[in-house]
Amino acid sequence: MQLRCFDTKCATKLDLHAPALACPTCGELLEVDMDFSAIDAPALKALWSERRKSRDVRDISGVWRYREFLPAYPANEIVSIGEGNTPLVRGRKTAEWAGVSDLQFKHLGWNPTGCFKDLGMTVGMTEAVHTGAKVVACASTGNTAASLAAYAARAGVIGRVYLPAGQVSLNKLAQALDFGAEVVEIEGSFDDALNTLLEKTNEGIYFLNSINPFRIEGQKTTMFELLDQLNWKAPDYLVVPGGNLGNSAAFAKAFDELLRFGFIDKLPRMIVVQAAGANPLAQLWRRGVDELIPVDEPETIATAIRIGNPRSWKKSLRGVRTTGGQVLDVTDEEISEAKAVIGRDGIGCEPASAATLAGLRKLRANNTIPSDASVVAILTGHALKDTNFIIRSHQREEAHAH
Ligand SMILES: *Cc1c(COP(=O)(O)O)cnc(C)c1O
């Protein structure tokens, strides 16, 4: 097992635990290159089912249960809080609102810290500790910070989070503080916070942003768990919100591996939905070109996807293309409306997650998706991640009513 450059023409290979953030030859992102010589799909499907009855910490985790597809670590080194194991839930009002008959949500907001970042963080933190890290850090719009803080606390290392000042939901900031992280506020956007962090390459810090290929490996297991829940039958469409595009990049890697080793025989079309004010990939898609132009001042109420220069765009785009999917954007009004409908189904989510339902409705409205298609929408964060947003929108409704 090793690290390899994501650019297949460059194809530079590095030691699996090399402390590299990017390809030393060409600067492209890295990915984990597995040795799959011993993969036996039917046997693994049975083993993974069997593990659901086990008491082993690794089997209880919805990430490490699929560890044949993850880098290997001694069992006692694994930093886990029982992440994963999130249900598939149907929404009656949401399906009606979007105009589809078969809609299920995979709610990643029901993870230990309330969002999917935990799925990547358990692997990233395990790798950090394995390589002897004492200080781990990330830039974040809030959720990565909360997740890093929790897993750093579990691992007994110092967690440091770089946040765009005044742009992070208080609920997420409160989590980072509760878990004992050092909070550094940066003037500007998430992109500025990430640039500030990435300059600190020789301060002995282990970086845990989503460009870290180990986080991608952990997030990849979302698709293993989803397809396991669907008896290895892919839905027609998978809808996911896009910010830094790490999650859709991870799903793309999962699809590639699951198809290649015969776990599934068909891929879902992956639909990536961005916010209209932070939509560089959607713009690229509409123009039909191959070069991403960053959005200088990203703006959206969905703060988790308020990102102008997504680092994992090439990985995400490759996944959209190989699955025959597409990229689109939705307005803040559409996101708010979709979020309210998800709430009224008794499910709830944070604003960024609701971009999926808003995007789905849009694709139904212009008949890109047939009404009888099977659809799984990824909800990325818990409703309690941004309570101020909920209270404010209800105050506005009140004001309109009077
Ligand atoms: C991080 C995050 C996203 C965006 O995911 P990317 O991997 O950056 O595209 C979307 N929703 C929520 C709730 C998040 O925390």
Side-chain angles (χ1 to χ4, degrees):
M1 209 177 291
Q2 51 203 342
L3 292 176
R4 84 178 156 217
C5 177
F6 177 70
D7 185 334
T8 45
K9 285 200 280 298
C10 171
T12 295
K13 300 207 163 164
L14 298 176
D15 179 75
L16 180 66
H17 304 295
L21 273 182
C23 174
T25 312
C26 73
E28 189 49 75
L29 296 185
L30 297 168
E31 64 182 359
V32 173
D33 185 15
M34 314 284 298
D35 168 18
F36 289 117
S37 49
I39 294 293
D40 172 347
L44 279 179
K45 287 179 183 177
L47 176 64
W48 294 338
S49 282
E50 199 53 36
R51 282 182 183 159
R52 288 178 184 275
K53 296 180 210 152
S54 158
R55 298 275 181 265
D56 185 317
V57 169
R58 294 170 304 168
D59 296 341
I60 291 168
S61 164
V63 172
W64 296 101
R65 180 177 304 133
Y66 304 100
R67 57 188 171 275
E68 285 74 13
F69 278 78
L70 297 174
Y73 302 94
N76 63 354
E77 282 186 13
I78 285 173
V79 186
S80 169
I81 333 178
E83 52 288 322
N85 300 307
T86 54
L88 268 175
V89 280
R90 282 192 188 276
R92 193 175 54 78
K93 291 181 183 134
T94 39
E96 214 166 90
W97 187 77
V100 289
S101 52
D102 183 3
L103 172 63
Q104 301 191 78
F105 293 107
K106 175 79 173 153
H107 206 324
L108 306 182
W110 298 347
N111 263 295
T113 75
C115 96
F116 73 80
K117 303 301 195 298
D118 297 342
L119 303 168
M121 204 54 76
T122 182
V123 180
M125 194 67 69
T126 298
E127 169 66 15
V129 171
H130 183 75
T131 58
K134 299 285 179 272
V135 183
V136 297
C138 68
S140 173
T141 60
N143 279 336
T144 306
S147 183
L148 176 140
Y151 283 83
R154 306 282 301 177
V157 299
I158 294 170
R160 194 173 293 154
V161 299
Y162 290 75
L163 304 175
Q167 293 184 25
V168 172
S169 143
L170 284 183
N171 309 70
K172 300 176 186 179
L173 178 62
Q175 285 183 292
L177 294 170
D178 197 34
F179 300 135
E182 295 175 7
V183 174
V184 185
E185 291 199 297
I186 301 291
E187 286 306 320
S189 66
F190 164 82
D191 302 282
D192 298 316
L194 183 55
N195 287 333
T196 305
L197 173 63
L198 293 179
E199 282 159 16
K200 302 185 183 299
T201 46
N202 42 25
E203 294 182 20
I205 299 172
Y206 186 87
F207 293 94
L208 275 171
N209 273 98
S210 62
I211 54 173
N212 180 313
F214 294 88
R215 276 193 49 200
I216 298 295
E217 290 304 294
Q219 288 172 210
K220 185 181 84 176
T221 63
T222 304
M223 287 303 118
F224 285 65
E225 186 176 273
L226 171 67
L227 285 154
D228 197 348
Q229 286 167 312
L230 294 172
N231 293 318
W232 305 101
K233 191 171 171 303
D236 297 325
Y237 293 88
L238 180 87
V239 194
V240 57
N244 218 5
L245 301 170
N247 216 21
S248 44
F251 295 173
K253 190 163 189 278
F255 294 148
D256 176 57
E257 293 173 358
L258 289 169
L259 190 66
R260 201 142 41 94
F261 296 99
F263 285 82
I264 50 177
D265 50 23
K266 178 199 115 178
L267 295 178
R269 294 175 187 271
M270 182 164 74
I271 310 284
V272 175
V273 189
Q274 294 200 298
N279 65 349
L281 194 71
Q283 287 191 39
L284 174 156
W285 188 262
R286 275 197 288 271
R287 288 199 315 267
V289 293
D290 255 356
E291 215 34 61
L292 186 95
I293 302 173
V295 170
D296 279 340
E297 288 182 10
E299 192 50 70
T300 168
I301 51 153
T303 52
I305 51 174
R306 186 181 187 171
I307 293 173
N309 187 15
R311 304 293 165 132
S312 295
W313 70 270
K314 285 184 187 163
K315 291 183 175 182
S316 173
L317 184 62
R318 190 189 285 178
V320 172
R321 287 201 172 129
T322 53
T323 62
Q326 66 167 285
V327 187
L328 76 159
D329 56 2
V330 291
T331 65
D332 280 1
E333 291 68 35
E334 290 167 326
I335 292 173
S336 296
E337 208 184 320
K339 180 178 147 42
V341 182
I342 295 168
R344 295 303 295 272
D345 250 335
I347 297 169
C349 65
E350 71 165 278
S353 312
T356 52
L357 184 68
L360 178 60
R361 179 172 154 106
K362 206 165 165 176
L363 292 177
R364 268 298 299 134
N366 64 22
N367 251 321
T368 307
I369 293 184
S371 64
D372 62 351
S374 58
V375 182
V376 171
I378 301 291
L379 297 181
T380 44
H382 197 280
L384 293 177
K385 281 287 192 175
D386 195 347
T387 45
N388 194 29
F389 177 91
I390 302 173
I391 302 296
R392 270 187 291 128
S393 38
H394 284 270
Q395 280 168 340
R396 268 199 301 275
E397 254 174 48
E398 279 285 286
H400 280 301
H402 289 292

